[in-house]
Amino acid sequence: MRTQVGIIGAGPSGLLLSQLLHLRGIETVVLEKHSREYVLGRIRAGVLEHSFAALMREAQVGERLDREGQIHEGFFIAHDGIKERVDLRGLTGGKSVIVYGQTELTRDLYEARDRFGGVVMHNAEDVRPHDVDGPQPYLTCRVGGEVVRIDCDYIVGCDGFHGVSRQSIPKDKIRVFERDYPFGWLGVLSRTKPVSPELIYATHERGFALCSLRSEALSRYYIQVPFTDSVDDWSDEEFFEELRRRLPGDVSSALITGPSIEKSIAPLRSFVVEPMRFGNLFLAGDAAHIVPPTGARGLNTAASDIYYLYHALVDHYSKWDNRGLETYSQRALARVWKGQRFSWWMTMLLHRFPDSSPFDRRLQETELAYLFSSEEALASLAENYVGQPF
Ligand code: APR
Ligand code: PHB
């Protein structure tokens, strides 16, 4: 089998790239390790920048997002028993974010790939890129017991943090930058009315908490837990009791609880690999970088990678102009690092670190006090939260 661009991974990055390229007449094949049901069963964050929505519209998959996505013009930071609003719209000259679950977004992308006859091979075992530093790279895998070989011009690794693409690059050709945090987020999805129509990020001496939502009847809550905890350590009752303790009184008394329909722990990690290209293999999304979820940057940073790569590939195939491909890594990384900085800053500001000194605590308190006493500091937060231009 032959295609122009072989894509590994059918998460949002791989599906969006495949759909965008298809509309510009560029052929792709997507190889996904898991089943479609498995991919659609994952619950991930759901705050999108408007530039992401614009890319979805360009890919002709923005209709439901425009109809059902909720525009959020602000969010709250709760601390010391009060909550203070970050007026995104006022602070950014009219910008906002869109709350739309990643699961729904992935469903829309799948639906579009079906509609346009896109090739997505599921349950692809042992996917491997070959000869990526030569002119004729190819992919191999096993599907239903059959060995499949796909010859391509380019291979794009959209296979997430644990994928094979990054691991196939010789160690001396890449550099890894990373930081692990000594805690995770325990998340609960429940079919209850959200406690607040706008997100509440709460910092408390017992740890961080977040009140988020998916719709008017679906809530998503998180609490910071030690990374050694497991989901089984927390009953629904214990989870909500702990969440209540970390929220201001008026919020916790308004909290409606209900049985969890999903409960999981996500570790917090900052990770970047440089460069994001090795020969004819390009990395995009979580395959190249991970952020802690505090700044809602993960999916949005994946979107900017896809934007740069999409334009680079279109320029290559339509004009034989390779400048976009040559500068992809550099351009993508410039934005990746801005997202890294912001996510790290939000994480440091709002979490309790088990090893923090009294000095660290005072700095954290002062950072928060400074934020809410300075329009400029708040404007900087807002500018980063709504997303810097691509
Ligand atoms: N072969 C084929 N597919 C693979 C392999 C492999 N060896 N390893 C992983 N995959 C698949 C996964 O099963 C998954 O469906 O690659 C896909 C990667 O998808 P995501 O992890 O969702 O990554 P990405 O598409 O880059 O999504 C961007 O940003 O931070 C986030 O939460 C956000 O997940 C979102 C991400
Ligand atoms: C979520 O709704 O899952 C969510 C929202 C904002 C974040 C992280 C996660 O910063």
Side-chain angles (χ1 to χ4, degrees), residues 161-162 178-181 267-271 290-293 340:
F161 183 66
H162 300 286
E178 64 187 320
R179 162 178 290 217
D180 286 330
Y181 301 86
L268 264 68
R269 178 183 288 135
S270 300
F271 176 96
I290 298 279
V291 283
Q340 287 288 342

Side-chain angles (χ1 to χ4, degrees), residues 325-339:
L325 290 176
E326 276 150 21
T327 55
Y328 166 70
S329 176
Q330 204 185 330
R331 288 181 78 197
L333 282 167
R335 197 170 190 275
V336 163
W337 276 109
K338 286 184 188 159

Side-chain angles (χ1 to χ4, degrees), residues 44-47 185 199 201 210 212-214 220 222 293-296 385:
R44 300 260 182 82
V47 175
W185 280 16
L199 273 64
Y201 291 81
L210 171 62
S212 182
L213 66 159
R214 291 289 176 275
R220 181 69 168 162
Y222 297 94
T294 328
Y385 195 86

Side-chain angles (χ1 to χ4, degrees), residues 19-38:
Q19 174 66 11
L20 285 164
L21 292 178
H22 180 103
L23 293 174
R24 301 297 289 266
I26 300 167
E27 283 172 22
T28 64
V29 170
V30 182
L31 297 179
E32 166 58 49
K33 177 180 180 175
H34 292 290
S35 68
R36 182 168 172 151
E37 294 67 40
Y38 178 94

Side-chain angles (χ1 to χ4, degrees), residues 58-321:
E58 183 162 351
Q60 300 184 17
V61 273
E63 203 185 301
R64 195 159 71 99
L65 168 62
D66 282 334
R67 203 173 54 240
E68 295 178 16
Q70 301 173 38
I71 303 282
H72 281 224
E73 296 182 342
F75 66 86
F76 293 96
I77 292 184
H79 63 97
D80 304 299
I82 57 162
K83 62 187 209 300
E84 300 198 72
R85 186 162 184 269
V86 178
D87 175 10
L88 292 175
R89 191 174 136 91
L91 290 159
T92 60
K95 295 185 183 157
S96 55
V97 290
I98 306 170
V99 171
Y100 188 68
Q102 188 175 313
T103 313
E104 298 313 310
L105 183 130
T106 311
R107 199 183 298 284
D108 295 345
L109 286 164
Y110 263 124
E111 190 275 324
R113 293 319 293 125
D114 288 347
R115 187 156 36 101
F116 288 87
V119 182
V120 183
M121 294 184 178
H122 286 96
N123 303 308
E125 292 170 48
D126 198 19
V127 176
R128 282 181 204 213
H130 302 269
D131 291 353
V132 294
D133 52 349
Q136 287 166 334
Y138 62 99
L139 286 161
T140 56
C141 64
R142 270 180 291 116
V143 183
E146 299 274 304
V147 175
V148 178
R149 173 180 166 137
I150 304 163
D151 291 285
C152 339
D153 300 333
Y154 298 106
I155 295 175
V156 184
C158 295
D159 47 351
F161 183 66
H162 300 286
V164 65
S165 308
R166 191 182 67 252
Q167 282 158 24
S168 73
I169 303 175
K171 296 265 178 299
D172 61 338
K173 299 290 182 202
I174 46 175
R175 188 161 172 208
V176 165
F177 300 81
E178 64 187 320
R179 162 178 290 217
D180 286 330
Y181 301 86
F183 42 75
W185 280 16
L186 171 62
V188 158
L189 189 69
S190 71
R191 236 178 270 291
T192 49
K193 184 174 185 293
V195 70
S196 162
E198 291 187 338
L199 273 64
I200 304 174
Y201 291 81
T203 180
H204 186 273
E205 63 187 32
R206 297 182 64 89
F208 170 81
L210 171 62
C211 303
S212 182
L213 66 159
R214 291 289 176 275
S215 69
E216 280 168 24
L218 202 54
S219 302
R220 181 69 168 162
Y221 297 111
Y222 297 94
I223 56 171
Q224 172 190 346
V225 296
F227 78 103
T228 43
D229 277 18
S230 79
V231 169
D232 301 332
D233 296 332
W234 292 88
S235 66
D236 290 357
E237 292 68 32
E238 285 166 331
F239 173 88
F240 282 114
E241 202 178 308
E242 186 57 34
L243 176 65
R244 274 212 173 90
R245 288 199 192 111
R246 299 183 187 185
L247 299 172
D250 59 327
V251 182
S252 67
S253 58
L255 181 71
I256 300 169
T257 64
S260 62
I261 50 176
E262 196 267 356
K263 195 191 280 171
S264 52
I265 295 187
L268 264 68
R269 178 183 288 135
S270 300
F271 176 96
V272 182
V273 70
E274 291 187 5
M276 289 169 58
R277 173 184 189 176
F278 175 62
N280 288 319
L281 170 68
F282 294 83
L283 300 177
D286 278 17
H289 41 75
I290 298 279
V291 283
T294 328
R297 295 295 82 208
L299 186 55
N300 292 305
T301 310
S304 59
D305 294 352
I306 298 306
Y307 175 88
Y308 297 131
L309 199 48
Y310 157 55
H311 285 285
L313 287 163
V314 168
D315 285 351
H316 167 78
Y317 284 110
S318 62
K319 300 186 266 182
W320 301 110
D321 176 352

